[in-house]
Amino acid sequence: MRWMWIDRVITFEPKHRLVAVKNVSLAEEHLHQHFAAEPGLASAPVMPNSLILEGMAQTAGILVGSVHDFREKVVLAKVTSATFERDVLPGETIRYDATIERMDEMGASTIGVVDRFSFVDNAWAPVGRIELMFSHLDQNRAGTEFPEENFVFGENFATLLEGAGLRKAGVKKD
Amino acid sequence: MAQSRDEIEAAVRDVLIDALGVDEEDVVETATLKGDLGAESIDYLDIVFRLEKKFTTAEKPFKIAQGELFPENLMTDPSLVENGKITAKGIAMLKEKVPHVALGAFESDPQVTKLAGLFTVKSLCDFVQTKLGK
């Protein structure tokens, strides 16, 4: 199964903006490795920034895919910039707020703002900013052909998309 | 107000520094986007988006159509490329579609692998200057 790094889509403005959240839990195995205790050092579980980036890529990728009703194979082509200013800890909620900056037949550029909610502080605080570029795989400049089936927005995304009302349950779109 | 050549060059330089993560001193007129500045396929789309944003004003949008700055469909059309070389029809297409690219000696030995070398910082500036003047 594909690793999903967002739990729920909470806001959707067609062709413009999509907001998703993820709850970070100590039940997630990767937190125990990042960073595990070492002799003389206690463990320090934090959500890896690389996976926060993947969460934004999934959020923005769904937004870009939704523009053409998930017919295009949307793939992350470039991390234009990614800056982080705060760690996300277990028990906190990450909010991914993605907007499309520019889009054409070939692909799209997106701007993403990441915040986290701390129940200790009872407040949202900025985590980082991530700018990405997505490519429509079938429109690639090299003219390479890919399978007909849309492996990007396959069954693994169905729950998320249907939960957000972006795709009707039981309707398969290739 | 019309932008001077110096202003256009400075703006194009900013675009390439941001899009390709290169140092300012590397962005010289003769630098090729692929060979010297390390541009990959997605970077060309990034450059197009950034140029549009940079040169769009409240009075006049700066919109670059698909294939207007960088040639499209060249590699997939067998009448344009044959045995690794661009055909006479392909050369004619380049002259018509991307006149900002100086073909020069390429025309007498039009190997596809050398095509990317034609896209320089200067050709980008020429493209922008011509388009702004229209």
Side-chain angles (χ1 to χ4, degrees):
Chain A
M1 154 170 188
R2 182 173 173 154
W3 240 1
M4 299 305 301
W5 292 106
I6 53 179
D7 292 338
R8 194 171 186 91
V9 174
I10 58 169
T11 302
F12 176 56
E13 299 170 22
K15 300 182 180 179
H16 174 57
R17 177 171 172 245
L18 191 134
V19 185
V21 289
K22 171 185 168 48
N23 294 313
V24 179
S25 168
L26 257 187
E28 296 172 77
E29 280 188 28
H30 63 277
L31 286 178
H32 296 267
Q33 308 298 323
H34 193 272
F35 298 91
E38 290 180 33
L41 278 176
S43 64
V46 297
M47 179 72 180
N49 286 346
S50 53
L51 295 179
I52 292 178
L53 201 153
E54 173 62 21
M56 179 55 80
Q58 293 185 358
T59 305
I62 291 173
L63 173 61
V64 172
S66 69
V67 173
H68 293 295
D69 208 14
F70 304 104
R71 287 189 299 273
E72 295 283 356
K73 301 178 185 86
V74 176
V75 293
L76 177 63
K78 179 175 176 175
V79 179
T80 310
S81 71
T83 53
F84 297 92
E85 57 183 281
R86 176 183 272 105
D87 285 336
V88 178
L89 309 178
E92 297 182 340
T93 297
I94 304 175
R95 181 173 62 196
Y96 298 107
D97 192 329
T99 52
I100 292 176
E101 185 187 31
R102 179 75 176 81
M103 184 162 183
D104 73 5
E105 298 84 354
M106 305 277 288
S109 64
T110 62
I111 294 174
V113 175
V114 186
D115 297 292
R116 71 100 173 95
F117 187 83
S118 161
F119 290 89
V120 176
D121 302 336
N122 197 32
W124 289 96
V127 170
R129 181 182 165 93
I130 300 170
E131 296 182 15
L132 303 173
M133 288 210 67
F134 293 89
S135 180
H136 290 150
L137 210 52
D138 293 328
Q139 316 292 336
N140 67 90
R141 292 168 58 84
T144 309
E145 291 187 14
F146 291 89
E148 276 291 308
E149 180 198 353
N150 195 333
F151 48 83
V152 179
F153 298 110
E155 290 305 311
N156 294 332
F157 266 110
T159 306
L160 264 176
L161 299 179
E162 288 161 13
L166 299 180
R167 183 192 285 182
K168 287 178 186 166
V171 176
K172 188 167 185 269
K173 293 251 173 88
D174 290 326
Chain B
M1 197 180 84
Q3 295 190 58
S4 70
R5 178 73 182 192
D6 282 351
E7 287 171 330
I8 290 171
E9 285 177 4
V12 168
R13 194 180 305 122
D14 285 347
V15 162
L16 293 174
I17 289 168
D18 289 341
L20 304 176
V22 290
D23 293 329
E24 186 172 352
E25 58 264 31
D26 294 331
V27 189
V28 293
E29 268 211 331
T30 54
T32 60
L33 301 186
K34 187 180 180 187
D36 295 326
L37 302 180
E40 296 178 18
S41 60
I42 190 66
D43 293 323
Y44 294 101
L45 185 61
D46 195 6
I47 290 168
V48 166
F49 284 178
R50 287 173 189 273
L51 287 174
E52 288 181 341
K53 194 174 172 184
K54 198 84 174 176
F55 291 101
T56 289
T57 61
E59 298 79 39
K60 197 176 176 187
F62 190 82
K63 176 86 176 76
I64 301 170
Q66 199 171 341
E68 188 181 349
L69 177 54
F70 303 111
E72 298 284 336
N73 303 326
L74 195 62
M75 312 302 282
T76 50
D77 186 338
S79 73
L80 302 177
V81 177
E82 204 175 281
N83 298 325
K85 289 195 173 188
I86 295 177
T87 61
K89 187 181 170 191
I91 293 287
M93 187 276 273
L94 284 174
K95 284 180 177 174
E96 184 200 339
K97 301 279 187 188
V98 288
H100 48 282
V101 174
L103 295 181
F106 177 80
E107 215 173 327
S108 56
D109 186 22
Q111 293 182 46
V112 171
T113 51
K114 292 183 177 172
L115 182 65
L118 299 177
F119 290 88
T120 60
V121 175
K122 181 178 183 300
S123 66
L124 274 192
C125 294
D126 289 347
F127 169 79
V128 171
Q129 190 170 22
T130 306
K131 194 170 169 65
L132 285 174
K134 281 179 185 170

